[in-house]
Amino acid sequence: MKNPTALSRRGFTKLLGAGAAYAAFRPALGFSESTPKPNDTKSSDVVRLSSNENPYGPSAAALKAMTAAFALAWKYPDETQEDLVEALAKLNQVSKEQILSGAGSGEILKVSVAAFTGPQKKLVVGDPTFEACAGHAKTSGAETVKVKLNATYAHDLPKMLDVPGAGLHYICNPNNPTASLTPKADIRSFLAKIPRETIVLVDEAYHHFVESADYESVIPLVKDFPNLIVARTFSKIYGMAGLRCGYCVAQPDKIELMRAQQSWDSVSIMAIVAARASLEDAAQVSNGLKNNSEVRKYVCGELDKLKFTYIPSHANFMMIDVRREVKPLIAAFRDKKVHVGRVFPPLPNFLRVTIGTRPQMEKFMAVFKELTA
């Protein structure tokens, strides 16, 4: 009799697509009816709106794929990772050699800084933006040059272009923490002008939440710009922040330079199978976009009634001008068991809050009204 756990590579791919072997593989550790689901807020009275996570959790197909893969936890993930890379290459219409997977897009950012900055190669970032790259630059001995965002909270690309000695430009689009866009025409112009020896890393972690016609993914531009790297993550729309899976698209020579900085097998087999299954669940993206858009409109409407302004959001979080120093307000929210974002020094009067579920945001607004009255 054949060993039911001895899956071929192609057989395992089928499992990821349909979860067909779920019942056969389901171990005693499978979820029971009473097990709290990942998005079950009843298990805690704390409303967590601090980390731009997806409160709806991962795809049901991803959960089934992970449960089925318990029996494969003894294996190194390289074989299943090849299947994920193939799927990502097909999705993005590039070759397998142009994909590098990582433990979240955070690892992609880390290896990019390691590969393309150093004592003689500066890192150039917006201010404020996601801080990870600047933190990694300290390890590589690179100077970080911060360029303030412009009046519309877009990256000031002309000023970034003027920084001498740059090894790597980091552009988060939509930007974190402002949830603002850098227009597609501005990025195209920037790529056309920047020297080919200077690398541009565009972080598209929040790509799936954007509805503006003034935005485009720059993945299709990788073929024309050999110095372009585009990072993506499964943490946001796919609800997999705790699993740590991301990837980037770049030309093969840049991928190899980054791979040299990476740990072997850094992505777990559970993250890989969940990511692979998520790609086949189109409803995960469409429902995530719909839910986020609807709840964000509710929050904006409530803030409008209260006459509070905010930066127009193109992501699953937003920045609200609270018209006072935000640090004490963050602490006051925590006392009320609502966790909101941290302080961002360039914007000391702005509160960053993740867009949670409708009940979570109703709780947030109730506390907001109380604390700002």
Side-chain angles (χ1 to χ4, degrees), residues 261-280:
Q261 302 293 332
Q262 189 178 35
S263 299
W264 287 359
D265 296 332
S266 61
V267 188
S268 77
I269 200 165
M270 293 302 169
I272 292 168
V273 300
R276 184 69 182 84
S278 295
L279 291 177
E280 296 188 2

Side-chain angles (χ1 to χ4, degrees), residues 38-314:
N39 58 345
D40 186 359
T41 56
K42 293 179 182 178
S43 61
S44 171
D45 58 355
V46 171
V47 178
R48 181 180 165 96
L49 303 172
S50 55
S51 300
N52 301 346
E53 296 151 331
N54 183 341
Y56 306 99
S59 162
L63 294 175
K64 285 187 177 183
M66 284 190 287
T67 305
F70 285 167
L72 299 178
W74 60 275
K75 294 180 64 177
Y76 285 110
D78 52 324
E79 189 175 85
T80 37
Q81 186 161 304
E82 289 178 17
D83 287 322
L84 176 59
V85 167
E86 287 183 6
L88 292 170
K90 182 178 180 181
L91 174 69
N92 293 290
Q93 300 182 326
V94 297
S95 69
K96 294 186 298 179
E97 292 73 27
Q98 290 181 264
I99 300 288
L100 181 68
S101 58
S105 57
E107 186 179 27
I108 299 300
L109 271 54
K110 181 177 182 179
V111 298
S112 297
V113 171
F116 304 114
T117 72
Q120 307 302 319
K121 294 181 178 180
K122 299 174 186 175
L123 170 69
V124 183
V125 301
D127 189 27
T129 195
F130 187 48
E131 307 100 321
C133 284
H136 298 313
K138 294 178 181 178
T139 302
S140 68
E143 177 187 351
T144 296
V145 178
K146 297 181 179 181
V147 177
K148 288 191 179 299
L149 303 180
N150 66 22
T152 63
Y153 299 99
H155 286 80
D156 194 333
L157 297 180
K159 288 185 179 178
M160 293 176 74
L161 190 62
D162 285 342
V163 176
L168 177 68
H169 286 267
Y170 172 68
I171 301 170
C172 188
N173 197 34
N175 188 45
N176 180 11
T178 54
S180 50
L181 287 183
T182 299
K184 59 187 181 183
D186 293 355
I187 292 183
R188 282 178 175 260
S189 176
F190 179 77
L191 290 170
K193 293 175 182 176
I194 198 163
R196 288 293 184 264
E197 62 271 17
T198 304
I199 305 300
V200 179
L201 171 60
V202 178
D203 184 348
E204 294 186 349
Y206 302 97
H207 159 79
H208 298 94
F209 297 107
V210 183
E211 300 174 85
S212 171
D214 207 17
Y215 168 86
E216 67 179 1
S217 169
V218 292
I219 286 178
L221 302 183
V222 168
K223 67 180 184 299
D224 300 317
F225 297 99
N227 54 337
L228 176 61
I229 300 167
V230 188
R232 289 279 185 89
T233 184
F234 285 88
S235 295
K236 306 305 177 183
I237 199 78
Y238 292 109
M240 289 173 45
L243 285 165
R244 313 310 302 132
C245 189
Y247 68 99
C248 73
V249 180
Q251 293 201 7
D253 61 324
K254 303 305 184 296
I255 292 291
E256 290 309 309
L257 291 171
M258 296 166 69
R259 196 191 309 277
Q261 302 293 332
Q262 189 178 35
S263 299
W264 287 359
D265 296 332
S266 61
V267 188
S268 77
I269 200 165
M270 293 302 169
I272 292 168
V273 300
R276 184 69 182 84
S278 295
L279 291 177
E280 296 188 2
D281 184 1
Q284 176 72 13
V285 174
S286 59
N287 288 340
L289 174 61
K290 177 176 178 289
N291 290 336
N292 183 72
S293 181
E294 289 177 352
V295 179
R296 185 176 60 199
K297 287 176 183 176
Y298 156 73
V299 176
C300 290
E302 293 300 301
L303 292 171
D304 291 343
K305 293 175 188 176
L306 298 171
K307 308 298 183 184
F308 278 89
T309 60
Y310 46 86
I311 300 172
S313 170
H314 300 275

